[in-house]
Amino acid sequence: MTDPVEAHVRVRVGSEDAHYGSIAAGAYVMKVFGDLATEITVRRDGDEGLLRAYESVEFLAPVRPGDFLECRATLVREGSTSRTFDAEAWRVIDARPDLEESAVDFLSEPVLVAKATGTTVVLKDLQRKG
């Protein structure tokens, strides 16, 4: 690997994502991580690949509707068909419903809310780049 293969996105957590009172389910962040893994295999192989497994997942801080998350993933290891990535989700804008329904704070220091390591697989005959 010469240049790192990376993917990133900034998303706003919507009110429809609240599942535990005022907290979003961990599955919300996992969906974003899956999308980033797909982008990595598209960039690397020209194919969406298939998510095979997560080696580790850590939820480190609650995510609430109104929060903005900056999420990124980096390809860290390659096999002949496997692609292992590290992913992180950082809260960069904090919803402040304690002040007002529409109040938010831009954080000078982002907060790491989740991280994971996972593996995707792209079959040899589907790899168009390399």
Side-chain angles (χ1 to χ4, degrees):
M1 246 181 337
T2 53
D3 294 328
V5 179
E6 299 176 330
H8 65 281
V9 65
R10 182 177 282 191
V11 295
R12 180 182 181 277
V13 182
S15 58
E16 68 279 6
D17 300 309
H19 290 284
Y20 303 104
S22 63
I23 297 176
Y28 176 84
V29 174
M30 296 305 294
K31 179 187 178 311
V32 176
F33 286 171
D35 290 344
L36 293 172
T38 298
E39 183 176 338
I40 283 175
T41 57
V42 167
R43 288 175 180 268
R44 169 62 183 83
D45 298 291
D47 189 83
E48 292 183 350
L50 295 170
L51 185 59
R52 183 177 184 283
Y54 282 99
E55 296 171 29
S56 67
V57 177
E58 294 181 60
F59 298 105
L60 304 167
V63 173
R64 293 184 172 82
D67 288 350
F68 281 72
L69 303 180
E70 188 171 288
C71 305
R72 56 184 168 262
T74 304
L75 179 63
V76 294
R77 199 167 49 250
E78 291 186 41
S80 60
T81 59
S82 65
R83 310 288 181 248
T84 300
F85 64 93
D86 286 338
E88 296 179 337
W90 295 81
R91 181 183 311 114
V92 294
I93 296 176
D94 194 18
R96 295 294 311 271
D98 57 315
L99 299 176
E100 183 62 43
E101 186 176 328
S102 59
V104 293
D105 288 333
F106 185 83
L107 301 175
S108 59
E109 294 289 327
V111 175
L112 182 62
V113 298
K115 62 183 181 175
T117 298
T119 301
T120 62
V121 173
V122 180
L123 300 176
K124 278 274 196 208
D125 59 334
L126 299 177
Q127 296 175 17
R128 297 185 301 113
K129 299 180 178 182

